[in-house]
Amino acid sequence: MKKIIIANFKLNGNKKFIKKYILKINKEINNDKYEISIAPPIPYLYMTEQLIKKNKKINLTSQNIDINKIGSYTGNISGKMLKDIKVKYVIIGHSERKIYHLENNDLIFKKILITKETKLIPIICIGENINEYNKNIGINTCIKQIKFFINEKNINLFNKSILAYEPIWAIGTGKNANTKYIKNMNKNIRNYLNTLDKKITNTIRIVYGGSVNINNFKEIIKINNVDGLLIGKESLNIDNFIKIINFNNNQK
Ligand code: PGA
């Protein structure tokens, strides 16, 4: 499986910015090494799909999904709609949605289920907060989060999914976790999943997110246990993002 690099625009960008961004990537991407996915704000998903249509190297991620399939749910987006415009991945359980939209694990679990049911691929975010980090119990937190989801179904729920290990204290703070720590966390998460089902674990990519930028990405993407990157702020810098996706491990 290829490592994946996901650009999460969050609540940023407009028509002009996104058009320029995608056209530039279409022109300048020269690397087949990574799978690339773009998560623009929902109103620009369709436009982005139209712009990347002929570019097989890039696909689409949605920043959200609703747990309902159809009906009177003002303001929501269904999996079927996302599928209709060729979205491939959906970010679920992001700490910003937990904090600002009060999403809890029950809702996140339902979002994972509907995503799988619609044949979209969930990018499930897990990670410890600063207190847990300081107490050195980050791995316990991540395993607890995973257990919550799989206890209600089983590890099958994670089949072919992406787990995004994102320490909450590193998101948007400019303070990334150090490579040794990331390496350990991703390895321990994978080891834990392996104890449940090795075959399914082999289908899961565990990526890292949290203040990845032009200065630190090389060290992080090179880590064995890191199967990709989820990049927020730095993905908005088109020149830097292109440098990141065009980076080849053999380069210095
Ligand atoms: P950041 O965001 O790169 O701006 O820290 C990462 C994320 O929230 O996925």
Side-chain angles (χ1 to χ4, degrees):
M1 257 185 305
K2 271 187 187 176
K3 294 195 181 195
I4 183 167
I5 299 178
I6 308 143
N8 179 9
F9 286 3
K10 307 189 181 184
L11 191 58
N12 298 290
N14 54 32
K15 228 162 85 176
K16 194 170 157 208
F17 170 81
I18 291 170
K19 186 168 178 198
K20 193 172 146 207
Y21 191 99
I22 301 296
L23 292 180
K24 198 165 159 79
I25 291 194
N26 281 345
K27 213 166 103 198
E28 297 184 17
I29 186 169
N30 63 22
N31 204 354
D32 251 344
K33 203 171 167 61
Y34 310 113
E35 181 182 350
I36 310 300
S37 199
I38 311 284
I42 306 276
Y44 304 116
L45 271 173
Y46 180 65
M47 183 189 114
T48 308
E49 189 263 327
Q50 294 292 302
L51 289 167
I52 62 175
K53 230 176 190 169
K54 293 196 188 90
N55 192 342
K56 298 266 180 304
K57 290 179 185 159
I58 309 173
N59 57 50
L60 273 187
T61 292
S62 172
Q63 295 181 27
N64 200 7
I65 187 169
D66 189 45
I67 58 170
N68 299 292
K69 288 185 184 162
I70 189 165
S72 303
Y73 303 100
T74 303
N76 282 340
I77 320 116
S78 77
K80 242 187 170 165
M81 292 169 189
L82 297 174
K83 195 85 192 156
D84 198 25
I85 57 165
K86 312 252 182 331
V87 166
K88 185 168 180 186
Y89 298 98
V90 184
I91 299 172
I92 301 175
H94 194 285
S95 61
E96 285 156 10
R97 292 216 57 90
K98 289 186 183 165
I99 296 166
Y100 303 118
H101 301 272
L102 309 181
E103 291 195 3
N104 61 22
N105 279 341
D106 286 315
L107 184 80
I108 293 165
F109 175 65
K110 287 184 188 149
K111 286 190 172 191
I112 301 172
L113 282 187
I114 195 83
T115 299
K116 298 281 291 185
E117 208 182 297
T118 326
K119 306 253 176 312
L120 292 156
I121 303 171
I123 299 170
I124 305 156
C125 302
I126 56 172
E128 79 280 6
N129 63 30
I130 187 71
N131 291 333
E132 292 158 336
Y133 173 71
N134 286 335
K135 285 191 208 148
N136 205 15
I137 54 167
I139 187 62
N140 307 46
T141 302
C142 290
I143 290 177
K144 212 162 110 193
Q145 287 166 346
I146 293 170
K147 270 189 177 160
F148 181 91
F149 302 129
I150 54 179
N151 273 353
E152 297 204 25
K153 187 120 176 155
N154 55 48
I155 191 183
N156 236 324
L157 187 69
F158 286 0
N159 194 28
K160 297 193 178 121
S161 300
I162 295 177
L163 275 185
Y165 167 58
E166 300 206 298
I168 297 169
W169 51 270
I171 297 177
T173 58
K175 249 178 72 187
N176 64 293
N178 71 48
T179 44
K180 196 170 152 215
Y181 185 78
I182 300 170
K183 188 175 172 184
N184 253 318
M185 284 299 292
N186 278 35
K187 189 176 87 199
N188 288 336
I189 293 167
R190 185 166 291 285
N191 285 347
Y192 168 70
L193 294 172
N194 266 329
T195 64
L196 305 172
D197 189 317
K198 241 185 160 141
K199 214 166 133 202
I200 290 184
T201 303
N202 281 339
T203 71
I204 303 170
R205 280 181 286 188
I206 306 173
V207 307
Y208 169 81
S211 295
V212 174
N213 61 37
I214 193 71
N215 300 314
N216 62 26
F217 81 95
K218 288 184 192 168
E219 292 304 315
I220 302 174
I221 193 85
K222 275 184 192 169
I223 301 173
N224 255 344
N225 303 299
V226 170
D227 304 314
L229 305 170
L230 179 51
I231 309 178
K233 197 160 175 235
E234 192 75 320
S235 73
L236 295 167
N237 182 323
I238 173 75
D239 292 323
N240 285 354
F241 189 69
I242 290 176
K243 278 186 197 138
I244 292 173
I245 61 178
N246 279 342
F247 173 69
N248 189 314
N249 263 351
N250 305 326
Q251 291 165 227
K252 277 268 157 67

